[in-house]
Amino acid sequence: MNLIFLGPPGAGKGTQAKRLIARFGLPQLSTGDILRKAVADGTALGKKAKALMDAGKLVPDEIVNGIVDEALASPLAQKGFLLDGFPRTVPQAEALDQMLGRRGRKIDHVISIEVPTEVLVDRLAGRQTCPQCQTSYGKDSPPANPGHCDRDGEKLIVRPDDQPERVRQRMHEYETKTALLTGYYKARGVVREIDGVGSVDEVEKRIVGAFA
Ligand code: AMP
């Protein structure tokens, strides 16, 4: 099964993807996680992407398309995948169609997580992230040991792009470029709209229910 998670920043795409990988036995391919790791490791890719990411702007298509093409070729992704944070523009969606078409594959479902802007702004303002495994914590899903990741004990950080003015830029990128993707996939009848307001458990139940 090949899945895409769509939704604005703070909708819970990464959190829900991390929950569902075990349930569906699929790898999570997150361009944001891959880029943040490249920045932390100081690779050539990370150096190219860092300033744009910190400013809340999109990284050029040729960079992210290359990351996804490589991830799709990995043995882990052969049974299926769960894409989170990609595609983010219609040209990226078209590039993805080509990458999958070359491999005789297609997108089966697009899960669109719907959350009103005021809830998103509130969530992102309180979000802390593990720099190691990228798990996010917030008011509704705090870590057991404050300031530390439940999974690996790492000290949590506030992502540079979760600062209020960067959040505004990311919302702008979403509204002007990414929101158009829902229409792109709706035309194929593969979109499942999920109410993303509520606890992580509640939203997970709704997503799983959509596949029952
Ligand atoms: P995310 O973790 O998905 O919120 O992504 C964090 C940042 O990584 C974004 O604000 C962009 O700067 C960059 N990024 C992640 N995925 C993409 C993408 N598909 N296209 C362009 N930039 C991306």
Side-chain angles (χ1 to χ4, degrees), residues 1-184:
M1 186 160 56
N2 303 326
L3 302 177
I4 293 177
F5 269 83
L6 276 188
K13 301 182 294 292
T15 301
Q16 291 300 334
K18 283 184 176 55
R19 289 272 183 120
L20 292 177
I21 46 179
R23 192 183 281 271
F24 291 136
L26 300 174
Q28 175 192 13
L29 308 182
S30 160
T31 43
D33 285 359
I34 294 169
L35 287 166
R36 273 186 291 281
K37 170 130 194 357
V39 170
D41 293 346
T43 65
L45 168 66
K47 286 187 181 124
K48 273 193 213 155
K50 185 178 184 330
L52 289 164
M53 291 176 74
D54 284 354
K57 296 193 172 150
L58 294 186
V59 172
D61 286 353
E62 61 271 21
I63 295 183
V64 278
N65 291 351
I67 292 174
V68 172
D69 202 22
E70 204 173 293
L72 289 177
S74 86
L76 276 179
Q78 300 318 304
K79 271 202 329 200
F81 55 79
L82 215 152
L83 267 173
D84 136 37
F86 185 94
R88 256 189 165 85
T89 63
V90 170
Q92 286 181 13
E94 290 166 349
L96 177 63
D97 283 341
Q98 286 181 8
M99 291 180 226
L100 291 173
R102 277 203 305 276
R103 297 177 166 95
R105 301 171 72 176
K106 63 173 178 45
I107 294 300
D108 298 305
H109 303 291
V110 175
I111 300 164
S112 174
I113 308 185
E114 320 268 320
V115 181
T117 307
E118 60 276 15
V119 178
L120 297 171
V121 171
D122 191 50
R123 272 192 197 169
L124 289 171
R127 179 157 90 169
Q128 288 187 303
T129 304
C130 174
Q132 190 60 39
C133 71
Q134 312 282 339
T135 299
S136 290
Y137 299 89
K139 274 189 255 166
D140 300 336
S141 53
N145 175 13
H148 294 270
C149 181
D150 289 350
R151 292 180 164 204
D152 51 31
E154 277 287 320
K155 200 167 176 329
L156 301 177
I157 57 155
V158 174
R159 274 171 45 176
D161 57 349
D162 279 345
Q163 307 291 344
E165 72 281 11
R166 314 273 165 77
V167 167
R168 269 194 290 280
Q169 175 65 37
R170 287 163 63 208
M171 292 293 182
H172 175 74
E173 295 279 49
Y174 177 79
E175 280 154 17
T176 54
K177 297 173 185 163
T178 312
L180 300 171
L181 284 178
T182 317
Y184 181 87

